[in-house]
């Protein structure tokens, strides 16, 4: 398991905590793998019936570690889960594969910041709960890159094309009420109530008929267009964008704590 991924199993519920608070839970390659491995381990463990993923302090996750993006922009492109396991890059496809092949219910308890993949991974969960303190964003455009994690398909499906365009093209933060309106968060709780409420919901699911739960979940994840193909296309374009001068300017601006200047690009 990864250094920054904590796992606890109790009463049929696996709780996975993303735990790198000093970097707002920004995800490194090892953290994606740790999260993916934890989710996969629950599928073969008869004691576990439900998985809950959450964060710590003020963060669910502030997205991909931006310093990993910088090093990826210098390395050859690899996009499939098999390839991602053997590379030193952030293995996002591996996590998405683990989320999408999970048979048991996946719940997210979004305690705070959910930026980039912190928001887009939520489209792969069955139930999403958030604190009224949580903030979401899909700021790919601000980094000179494009949507990932199947979100170019799943966001318009959840909320409609125009709403998805608003969130993707402006890349601004939005709150839990907007996320509920957009259809990918089920319910809001206060910060203090979030985990107790989500644990109650997880325990309720853990007591239900397990094979019926698994089959119900599986029946609902047959997407019309091929999600795998969409994710592959996104990853290829994302990797190409990472190599552009505009993306390099955006990453540089983040590290220098200034606004990116895109005026010289066309
Ligand atoms: N990758 C790497 N480091 C990150 C990070 C990320 N995605 N998000 C936050 N951090 C780091 C900061 O660099 C800072 O590190 P430092 O203390 O060593 O300087 C630390 O986490 C705290 O972040 P800070 O920016 O000081 O906190 P804040 O409350 O002012 O702002 C955010 C929080 C999340 C709004 C801001 O950090 C941010 O915009 N992060 C980038 C989010 C992003 O674009 N993610 C990728 C999407 S594709």
């Amino acid at each position: 398991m990864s250094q920054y991924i904590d796992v606890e199993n109790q009463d049929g519920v696996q709780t996975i905590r993303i735990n790198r608070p000093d970097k707002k839970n920004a995800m490194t390659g090892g953290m994606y793998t740790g999260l993916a491995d934890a989710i996969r381990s629950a599928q073969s463990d008869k004691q576990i019936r439900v998985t809950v993923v959450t964060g710590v302090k003020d963060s669910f996750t502030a997205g991909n570690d931006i310093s990993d993006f910088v090093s990826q922009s210098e390395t050859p492109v690899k996009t499939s889960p098999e390839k991602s396991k053997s590379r030193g890059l952030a293995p996002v496809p591996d996590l998405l594969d683990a989320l999408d092949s999970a048979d048991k219910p996946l719940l997210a308890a979004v305690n705070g910041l959910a930026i980039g993949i912190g928001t887009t991974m939520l489209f792969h969960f069955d139930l999403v709960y958030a604190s009224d303190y949580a903030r979401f964003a899909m700021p790919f455009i601000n980094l000179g890159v494009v949507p990932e994690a199947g979100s170019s398909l799943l966001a318009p499906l959840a909320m409609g094309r125009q709403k998805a365009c608003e969130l993707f093209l402006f890349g601004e933060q939005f709150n839990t009420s907007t996320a509920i309106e957009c259809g990918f968060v089920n319910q809001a709780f206060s910060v203090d109530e979030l985990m107790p409420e989500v644990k109650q919901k997880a325990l309720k699911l853990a007591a239900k008929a397990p094979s019926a739960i698994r089959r119900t979940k599986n029946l609902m994840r047959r997407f019309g267009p091929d999600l795998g193909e969409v994710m592959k296309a996104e990853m290829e374009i994302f990797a190409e964008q990472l190599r552009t001068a505009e993306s390099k300017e955006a990453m540089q601006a983040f590290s220098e704590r200034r606004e990116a200047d895109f005026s010289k690009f066309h």
Side-chain angles (χ1 to χ4, degrees), residues 211-223:
S211 71
I213 286 260
R214 287 196 297 273
R215 291 185 133 171
T216 301
K217 174 182 157 131
N218 284 332
L219 280 167
M220 284 190 292
R221 66 178 179 203
R222 291 177 298 178
F223 298 105

Side-chain angles (χ1 to χ4, degrees), residues 129-201:
Y129 301 99
S131 78
D132 45 21
Y133 174 82
R135 291 289 178 275
F136 304 82
M138 298 186 284
F140 308 105
I141 211 88
N142 303 332
L143 293 170
V145 291
V146 294
E148 36 74 301
S151 59
S152 63
L153 171 67
L154 300 176
L157 273 181
M159 62 191 77
R161 180 184 162 89
Q162 280 69 23
K163 190 73 203 172
C165 274
E166 190 183 319
L167 301 183
F168 281 130
L169 296 184
F170 291 106
E172 288 168 357
Q173 286 192 18
F174 52 98
N175 63 19
T176 301
S177 313
T178 303
I180 292 173
E181 276 166 34
C182 288
F184 71 92
V185 169
N186 292 79
Q187 201 176 340
F189 295 106
S190 71
V191 174
D192 292 341
E193 285 173 337
L194 178 69
M195 273 320 279
E197 289 283 351
V198 174
K199 283 212 167 144
Q200 280 310 311
K201 290 188 185 289

